[in-house]
Amino acid sequence: MSDVLFGLDTFGDVPQDDSGKLVSHAAAIRQVVDEAVLADELGVDVIALGEHHRPEYSVSTPETVLAGIATRTSRIKLASGVTVLSSDDPVRVFQRFATVDALSNGRAEVILGRGSFTESFPLFGYDLRDYDTLFEEKIELFVKLLDEKPVTWSGTLRAPLENADVFPKTESGHLDTWVGVGGSPQSVVRTAQYGLPLMLAIIGGAPERFAPYIDLYRRAADQLGTTAHPVGMHSPGFIADTDEEAKEIYWPHYRVMRDRIGKLRGWPPIRRQEFDSEVENGSLYIGSPETVARRMARAIRSLGVGRFDLIYSAGAQPASARMRAVELYGSRVIPMVRDILA
């Protein structure tokens, strides 16, 4: 398993400065660029930026920030994590990522998803009652666009296309495209149907419980005659010099974020005991480099995935602590995981 890829994911959470004050959205975006540059220097394989339209997050257009990162890095893959295709236009998504691909000499990657929040639907004039149809129709169109040939397509929620050619083309003729899935069997089968790689969002509970989804993806691809690519997983975590320090930096900001989202979704407030249990046995990879590396290696091995992306920000963790987490991930965690897997 020595060919596993390692990434970092963020939604551009607005961090605190050294005085404990929240920085501006503009400063938060520049912070993400600096973190990506450091990740590139340290040999991290991928930086993935998620799209959100909420005050806690600074990244609403991942590809714009990725374009900025492209001009300051040389080797790291530049991904979205995810692009909410349902409330966007497939043609524009393709064009924007093909542009990032040009700026980065072929390093762009789009991860398509339905998104874990719904703010983008009213913001861009979409009806939530069309939630499923929007994604189904738009991914069908997007997959056609990936051939980079004139497209004829029609659906019910977007104007049809008749022999429409889309520019710019990518230099290689291929735009890396994944589908991000949170745990719906239907979404897993759809991903296999289109022969696209699967990225599993494993954000709670024991990672092993997602093994049936990976098995389903492979069986579906086999039955449909498509390619089952190595599966990726992304999970939250945080790294500091010691286990205790990592937990104490992460917990207060994570609690605020988790309870704010929980209130919208009818969840009870999170207790410290639940948090500690998730760190010990679940899908929060928090601790020293040794602790995080050991737990990542166990998850990678038990699920047989080909890529692990760590969501390294959750709430207003201090910007300096985030930079340290990125540094430890690239310089110590990844080499340790590779050693364990080898």
Side-chain angles (χ1 to χ4, degrees), residues 83-145:
T83 292
V84 184
L85 187 65
S86 315
S87 57
D88 210 327
D89 184 80
V91 173
R92 293 299 278 148
V93 172
F94 179 86
Q95 290 175 322
R96 295 192 306 252
F97 276 89
T99 302
V100 174
D101 203 60
L103 291 169
S104 64
N105 288 305
R107 291 183 282 134
E109 179 179 287
V110 56
I111 304 181
L112 305 171
R114 297 195 283 183
S116 56
F117 294 96
T118 56
E119 286 86 355
S120 63
F121 289 81
L123 193 61
F124 301 123
Y126 292 99
D127 192 329
L128 273 169
R129 286 173 297 194
D130 297 325
Y131 185 81
D132 290 321
T133 310
L134 280 165
F135 190 73
E136 282 162 16
E137 290 192 357
K138 289 184 177 188
I139 194 169
E140 180 190 41
L141 172 54
F142 195 86
V143 169
K144 282 181 177 285
L145 294 167

Side-chain angles (χ1 to χ4, degrees), residues 13-28:
D13 304 66
V14 176
Q16 293 179 347
D17 60 19
D18 289 338
S19 71
K21 189 172 159 229
L22 286 178
V23 307
S24 65
H25 285 103

